[in-house]
């Protein structure tokens, strides 16, 4: 069965929807944040909140969960497609993550337990994606961050394009790269996962395929034909579906300034035991040459929450030997502490500064001790 996330290309039209067969049909969707499409063998899940970069709300996650439970039990369904694709090319995002601003507003008006409930449901969805009995394909044609990464990286097959931009910038707002990041980032070559999680560094589709975050690279112009082909595959054999995608795949080439070409230096710096040692190594490397990517990495780490950096570093190191469900459980525990302000108020200050006021740094950043205990 295939689930596909789409960002709706015409958010203000509310009557016509463009599907993968290049035809229009009438459907009232203006208030629907998730759309579901069915064919003989496949099911599509279409994210429809483009004005918010398809950020996930509690209601959207709940809807997807209910549908996936039905699809899992449906014997006629062979595969699922999850697709953040905008078929008309006007959208910018697969999914930019969970609706953090909305969650913070709700917590401030009510109780931290709402944030915990939201997050628990999101992690449950991630785990369902990862453990689905039927092949799940994510077509990632745009920005994918945070919660969007949690969904797509949990998919068996992950298709990226020239429009894809991946990042896990949670430390900038006082959270940690979560939704299983300590699992899927820790499986990347060397210490590239530490680099991505600590700096929030961005990757394009080519880099995602090269490092292993993606399984296929397909040009965006070929996605409609790929969707049609996938919908017609009467099999839930992953290798069969992968071969279909291979028929549309394109070769990639990394840019000269790609961070993945700097893996040797990244391993040298990000293999250090502490955040302070990592920063010191980066500063030494920057002093030895004109390395703009290192300067950006240093700047990003210094503008992030020190608590978040330290917790994530410990989390990803432990994640290398843990199963996904253990990583997700730990993510839940850590995030609950953060939204309860058990450590500090970095999350609320960071959200206010970076997402609400667009300031450059949260005020009154709190330093923490080197030892951080995860419970």
């Amino acid at each position: 069965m295939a689930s596909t996330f789409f960002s709706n290309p015409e958010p203000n039209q509310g009557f016509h929807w463009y599907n993968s067969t290049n035809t229009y049909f009438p459907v009232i969707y203006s208030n629907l944040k998730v759309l579901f499409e069915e064919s003989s063998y496949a099911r599509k899940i279409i994210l429809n909140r483009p004005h918010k970069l398809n950020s996930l709300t509690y209601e959207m996650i709940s809807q997807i969960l209910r549908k996936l439970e039905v699809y899992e039990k449906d014997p006629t369904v062979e595969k699922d497609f999850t697709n953040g694709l905008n078929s008309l090319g006007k959208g910018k995002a697969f999914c930019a993550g969970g609706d953090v601003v909305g969650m913070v507003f709700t917590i401030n008006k009510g109780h931290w337990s709402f944030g915990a409930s939201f997050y628990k449901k999101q992690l449950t969805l991630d785990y369902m994606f990862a453990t689905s009995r039927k092949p799940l394909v994510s077509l990632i044609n745009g920005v994918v961050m945070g919660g969007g990464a949690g969904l797509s990286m949990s998919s068996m097959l992950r298709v990226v394009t020239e429009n894809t931009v991946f990042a896990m910038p949670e430390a900038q707002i006082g959270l940690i790269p979560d939704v299983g990041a300590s699992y899927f980032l820790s499986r990347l070559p060397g210490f590239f996962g530490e680099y991505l999680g600590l700096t929030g560094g961005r990757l394009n589709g080519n880099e995602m395929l090269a490092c292993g975050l993606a399984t296929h690279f397909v040009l965006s112009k070929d996605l409609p034909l790929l969707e049609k082909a996938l919908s017609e595959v009467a099999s839930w054999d992953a290798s069969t579906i992968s071969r279909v995608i291979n028929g549309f795949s394109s070769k990639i080439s990394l840019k000269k300034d790609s961070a993945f070409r700097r893996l040797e230096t990244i391993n040298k710096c990000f293999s250090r035991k502490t955040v302070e040692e990592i920063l010191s190594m980066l500063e030494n490397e920057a002093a030895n040459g004109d390395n703009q990517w290192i300067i950006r990495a240093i700047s990003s780490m210094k503008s992030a929450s020190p608590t978040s950096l330290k917790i994530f570093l410990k989390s990803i190191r432990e994640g290398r030997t843990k199963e996904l469900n253990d990583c997700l459980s730990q993510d839940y525990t850590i995030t609950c502490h953060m939204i309860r302000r058990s450590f500090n108020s970095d999350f609320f200050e960071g959200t206010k500064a970076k997402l609400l006021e667009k300031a450059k740094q949260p005020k009154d950043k709190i330093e923490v001790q080197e030892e951080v205990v995860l419970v």
Side-chain angles (χ1 to χ4, degrees):
M1 127 177 135
S3 310
T4 308
F5 292 124
F6 284 89
S7 56
N8 177 17
E10 300 182 53
N12 297 319
Q13 296 284 326
F15 187 67
H16 297 294
W17 180 66
Y18 180 86
N19 72 0
S20 61
T21 58
N22 297 323
T23 58
Y24 286 86
F25 58 89
V27 59
I28 302 301
Y29 63 70
S30 58
N31 294 320
L32 300 178
K33 296 176 182 177
V34 184
L35 306 175
F36 300 95
E37 184 184 358
E38 301 183 1
S39 64
S40 298
Y41 306 108
R43 302 292 183 266
K44 293 182 182 179
I45 304 170
I46 305 154
L47 299 184
N48 187 40
R49 203 184 180 211
H51 61 294
K52 294 292 186 180
L53 299 181
N54 289 323
S55 59
L56 298 166
T57 66
Y58 184 88
E59 292 75 16
M60 292 169 69
I61 294 170
S62 299
Q63 290 174 35
I64 298 171
L65 267 174
R66 287 194 294 269
K67 280 291 186 179
L68 276 183
E69 289 171 353
V70 172
Y71 295 162
E72 280 289 290
K73 298 175 183 178
D74 188 344
T76 67
V77 177
E78 300 288 352
K79 52 191 171 297
D80 299 316
F81 295 97
T82 61
N83 185 348
L85 162 72
N86 183 319
S87 296
L88 295 182
K90 297 179 182 177
K92 296 180 179 180
F94 170 85
C95 175
D99 188 355
V100 174
V101 172
M103 183 175 70
V104 168
F105 275 132
T106 304
I107 292 174
N108 285 336
K109 291 181 179 179
H111 193 267
W112 71 269
S113 59
F114 171 79
S117 298
F118 178 104
Y119 194 59
K120 183 177 182 179
K121 190 170 287 286
Q122 181 173 339
L123 296 182
T124 300
L125 181 59
D126 294 336
Y127 188 71
M128 183 173 287
F129 269 48
T131 58
S132 173
R133 295 184 301 108
K134 302 175 183 180
L136 198 151
V137 183
S138 283
L139 304 182
I140 311 166
N141 184 38
V143 175
V144 57
M145 298 190 296
L151 291 179
S152 56
M153 295 304 107
S154 296
S155 303
M156 183 179 297
L157 299 168
R158 304 172 298 280
V159 181
V160 294
T161 76
E162 74 280 7
N163 299 322
T164 307
V165 179
F166 171 93
M168 297 295 288
E170 289 83 352
Q172 292 291 319
I173 60 169
L175 282 176
I176 62 166
D178 50 3
V179 293
S182 61
Y183 181 83
F184 62 78
L185 289 184
S186 68
R187 268 68 179 172
L188 299 184
F191 293 87
F192 198 59
E194 276 89 340
Y195 161 74
L196 293 175
L198 292 173
T199 69
R202 296 185 177 188
L203 300 181
N204 60 32
N206 292 344
E207 292 168 314
M208 289 181 69
L209 183 63
C211 76
L213 285 173
T215 59
H216 299 80
F217 182 95
V218 175
L219 294 174
S220 59
K221 67 180 181 63
D222 295 326
L223 285 177
L225 291 176
L226 172 59
E227 295 163 34
K228 186 176 185 298
L230 289 172
S231 297
E232 296 171 350
V233 178
S235 171
W236 66 354
D237 177 65
S239 60
T240 299
I241 297 170
S242 182
R243 284 196 295 272
V244 172
I245 302 174
N246 285 338
F248 296 87
S249 295
S250 297
K251 293 183 179 180
I252 66 166
S253 60
L254 296 179
K255 293 181 179 180
K256 186 177 180 180
D257 61 350
S258 169
F260 196 60
R261 289 186 179 274
R262 273 72 176 177
L263 189 56
E264 182 178 350
T265 301
I266 285 173
N267 289 342
K268 179 180 178 181
C269 297
F270 287 86
S271 61
R272 310 305 296 179
K273 291 183 178 181
T274 69
V275 171
E276 288 81 2
E277 290 174 346
I278 290 172
L279 276 169
S280 178
M281 287 294 294
L282 286 170
E283 288 169 345
N284 289 339
E285 289 294 321
N288 293 331
D290 182 20
N291 296 305
Q292 290 301 313
W293 73 273
I294 295 181
I295 294 173
R296 289 193 298 270
I298 293 171
S299 176
S300 178
M301 289 182 66
K302 288 188 174 181
S303 67
S305 161
T307 306
S308 297
L309 296 180
K310 293 172 187 291
I311 292 177
F312 174 71
L313 182 59
K314 185 173 179 66
S315 179
I316 191 173
R317 296 283 162 82
E318 293 181 353
R320 281 191 169 86
T321 59
K322 289 184 175 182
E323 297 298 325
L324 175 61
N325 62 321
D326 295 321
C327 291
L328 292 174
S329 295
Q330 181 166 272
D331 285 345
Y332 176 74
T333 300
I334 295 170
T335 300
C336 283
H337 278 297
M338 288 179 163
I339 63 179
R340 291 182 67 180
R341 298 179 172 90
S342 298
F343 305 138
N344 50 44
S345 295
D346 280 9
F347 169 51
F348 294 91
E349 292 291 341
T351 300
K352 180 180 179 181
K354 297 294 178 69
L355 300 182
L356 297 179
E357 297 179 353
K358 306 296 183 183
K360 290 185 177 180
Q361 287 195 14
K363 62 182 180 181
D364 301 326
K365 190 185 298 291
I366 302 174
E367 295 294 336
V368 296
Q369 296 180 352
E370 177 55 38
E371 183 66 23
V372 177
V373 179
L374 304 184
V375 294

